[in-house]
Amino acid sequence: MKRNNVRKRGNPKASSLSTAEEYQIHTLANGIRIAHKQVPYTQIAHCGIMLDIGSRDELPHQQGLAHFWEHMAFKGTEKRSSYHVINRLENVGGELNAYTTKEKICFHASVLDDHFEKAMDLLADITFHSVFPDKQIERERNVILEEMSMYVDSPEDAIQDDFDQLIFPDHALGNNILGTAETVNSFGRDHLYEFINHNIDTERIVVSSVSRLPFSRVIRIAEKYLGGVPHRTTDRKRNAPVIYTPVRLERERPIQQAQCAMGQPAYSLLDERRLPFFMLVNLLGGPGMNSRFNLSLREKYGFVYSIEANYTPYLDTGFTGIFFGTEKKQLNKSISLINKELRRIREVPLTTLQLHQTKVQLMGQLAMSEESNMSFMLMMAKSILDTGKVDSLPEIFGEIEQITASQLQEIAMELFDEQNFSYLTFLPED
């Protein structure tokens, strides 16, 4: 199944702040929450089971085990072979997928709403009743090792993975979600069961659904396939990173273009400065072609094909990074141009017009992100797990309207000081 490290796609994701006008929540007796948004204009049902378990919950010898579980969940259950898992929804034109992040594992599906119950049955089965056959473990081990090689061969992906280690040294947040070749080669069925039993907590599981089905029917189906899951809690504790020292590191790689990553830790998901900081990152290097970095490095000087700034908040910390590739001879000039924009955002407050335009752009991105029902379904599950709620667009827009130029400047002075940045550079071999 696909690996979806949210930060990997590069630009700040509007969907990570997306919102809901109406949604409903029901809690089963075992603590699993059912969240549903009913939309009248679609025949497609999107549903998923999201668990508050990710790669940061792994012990050192377990690196990559959460992602390994994600893969192995599709390889056979107590009542289905891997063939029947794969074909259960494909045969009716549906899609089944999964992803692992630093803090979450999610199994999700999209089908015609006539097949919603079939999708919920399958998702519950692979989440709670996988049997991890030994032969499939060996096959999937090789698949994951190939996946690791694919990312190593992609320098723009590899540098982001390696940069995590600089920002979060000696902490699980700095580890590669895929793990290492050594750890992946060590995994067996017992390791999977041990990891699941230690981390699974039914009160930290959300079943999310977006479709035209009434909530009452969604509850009945969820109760049928998930109501029998035993109530379980865990005493697992997550420790926040406590040490950060800026690091500058250069590595030679067999590549044609220099790759550069620069950044530092940032605000947590629960910090009240998260939204204004997200707006700043969007202004500097978001998906818009009018971002300051893009206008300078690409449009004015032609130094880069693409440049991105992103912000990934976790529950107890966060991360901001700037990533780009350029010719080796233009590397230092590109860094100087980035630092020039960082100084400008620190020293020159936005004008009234600039502030208004920045707010309007972000609000437009957020509104458009809500058009994707699948993205909304995934966001709803994550938001409920992290904060216990899903804010409405008017609520978010109200918060955006309250942001001031002086507030943005204070945040920029704190988090956009290049003296506090770590730098990782991949240079072409001579």
Side-chain angles (χ1 to χ4, degrees):
M1 295 301 106
K2 72 177 180 181
R3 173 184 178 233
N4 182 7
N5 180 353
V6 173
R7 180 176 56 76
K8 291 246 167 248
R9 301 286 70 84
N11 295 317
K13 297 292 187 184
S15 60
S16 67
L17 292 171
S18 187
T19 57
E21 293 296 336
E22 296 179 0
Y23 68 98
Q24 296 168 285
I25 296 180
H26 173 79
T27 303
L28 302 179
N30 55 20
I32 295 176
R33 282 169 287 180
I34 315 300
H36 178 66
K37 181 178 180 181
Q38 186 176 16
V39 291
Y41 52 82
T42 180
Q43 292 181 290
I44 303 300
H46 303 281
C47 55
I49 299 178
M50 187 173 290
L51 304 93
D52 193 36
I53 304 171
S55 63
R56 71 171 300 177
D57 302 309
E58 299 162 347
L59 299 174
H61 70 280
Q62 296 175 326
Q63 289 182 36
L65 195 51
H67 176 256
F68 202 92
W69 172 22
E70 173 215 317
H71 276 243
M72 285 304 304
F74 296 80
K75 301 308 174 182
T77 70
E78 295 170 3
K79 65 180 182 180
R80 291 186 174 96
S81 68
S82 60
Y83 174 85
H84 290 103
V85 169
I86 292 171
N87 282 282
R88 179 69 171 168
L89 300 186
E90 295 280 350
N91 284 343
V92 294
E95 295 181 353
L96 176 67
N97 219 321
Y99 63 84
T100 305
T101 71
K102 303 279 185 175
E103 295 185 326
K104 303 288 185 288
I105 293 175
C106 183
F107 304 101
H108 61 95
S110 299
V111 292
L112 285 169
D113 53 23
D114 288 344
H115 304 295
F116 176 80
E117 181 170 353
K118 187 176 291 187
M120 189 62 69
D121 174 20
L122 184 61
L123 289 173
D125 197 27
I126 64 174
T127 303
F128 297 103
H129 304 292
S130 292
V131 293
F132 313 126
D134 288 333
K135 289 184 179 180
Q136 293 285 3
I137 286 177
E138 292 306 316
R139 291 172 185 167
E140 209 59 26
R141 189 193 320 279
N142 293 329
V143 170
I144 292 173
L145 291 173
E146 289 298 320
E147 185 179 0
M148 293 170 67
S149 298
M150 180 185 71
Y151 276 92
V152 170
D153 289 341
S154 176
E156 62 271 19
D157 287 326
I159 197 168
Q160 295 192 29
D161 284 329
D162 290 358
F163 197 52
D164 285 348
Q165 298 176 4
L166 268 66
I167 302 299
F168 302 116
D170 301 317
H171 191 278
L173 283 174
N175 295 336
N176 191 319
I177 289 173
L178 298 180
T180 68
E182 181 180 5
T183 57
V184 169
N185 276 313
S186 72
F187 296 151
R189 181 190 295 131
D190 290 344
H191 297 95
L192 289 162
Y193 283 130
E194 179 185 12
F195 180 74
I196 293 169
N197 291 334
H198 179 71
N199 287 283
I200 202 160
D201 185 335
T202 51
E203 295 181 8
R204 301 294 302 163
I205 296 174
V206 168
V207 177
S208 183
S209 166
V210 175
S211 71
R212 65 179 179 180
L213 299 178
F215 189 40
S216 58
R217 184 179 175 195
V218 172
I219 292 174
R220 286 197 303 272
I221 293 173
E223 180 71 52
K224 179 178 179 180
Y225 295 103
L226 295 160
V229 175
H231 175 260
R232 299 177 61 178
T233 58
T234 178
D235 57 0
R236 180 199 71 191
K237 293 182 179 179
R238 287 173 169 168
N239 298 315
V242 294
I243 299 175
Y244 169 73
T245 302
V247 176
R248 290 176 178 259
L249 187 63
E250 291 185 352
R251 295 174 179 166
E252 288 193 346
R253 297 284 296 270
I255 54 179
Q256 298 298 315
Q257 189 183 53
Q259 295 286 332
C260 183
M262 47 196 293
Q264 69 170 64
Y267 304 128
S268 75
L269 186 70
L270 304 180
D271 195 298
E272 62 182 10
R273 296 165 293 183
R274 179 178 71 102
L275 183 56
F277 181 60
F278 182 88
M279 192 165 76
L280 271 181
V281 173
N282 200 53
L283 171 66
L284 285 172
M289 293 295 290
N290 65 341
S291 72
R292 290 190 175 185
F293 289 155
N294 191 72
L295 289 176
S296 175
L297 276 77
R298 173 171 172 154
E299 298 301 325
K300 185 174 182 179
Y301 291 97
F303 285 171
V304 301
Y305 173 72
S306 67
I307 180 169
E308 62 190 55
N310 57 49
Y311 165 44
T312 302
Y314 301 113
L315 279 174
D316 48 14
T317 186
F319 163 86
T320 186
I322 302 165
F323 302 90
F324 67 94
T326 188
E327 295 296 319
K328 183 177 179 179
K329 63 183 179 181
Q330 297 166 171
L331 176 62
N332 290 332
K333 294 178 182 177
S334 297
I335 293 175
S336 295
L337 288 172
I338 290 171
N339 289 336
K340 179 180 178 181
E341 293 298 333
L342 294 176
R343 285 193 298 273
R344 182 157 74 103
I345 203 74
R346 293 197 310 267
E347 297 172 0
V348 182
L350 298 182
T351 66
T352 301
L353 178 59
Q354 288 172 333
L355 180 62
H356 173 72
Q357 290 174 334
T358 302
K359 291 178 178 180
V360 169
Q361 182 173 21
L362 181 57
M363 287 189 285
Q365 291 172 348
L366 293 175
M368 285 191 289
S369 72
E370 195 169 308
E371 291 296 305
S372 169
N373 286 335
M374 185 177 75
S375 295
F376 184 89
M377 178 272 294
L378 297 173
M379 178 281 306
M380 180 165 60
K382 183 178 185 300
S383 183
I384 291 171
L385 278 175
D386 288 341
T387 68
K389 63 176 183 175
V390 184
D391 293 325
S392 69
L393 274 176
E395 288 172 328
I396 291 290
F397 287 0
E399 291 182 38
I400 291 174
E401 290 289 6
Q402 296 301 312
I403 296 172
T404 65
S406 61
Q407 183 183 13
L408 293 176
Q409 191 174 13
E410 290 176 5
I411 291 173
M413 292 177 68
E414 179 179 357
L415 291 185
F416 286 143
D417 182 353
E418 62 270 22
Q419 298 302 314
N420 294 326
F421 275 17
S422 289
Y423 292 77
L424 175 61
T425 307
F426 288 173
L427 297 174
E429 295 176 346
D430 294 330

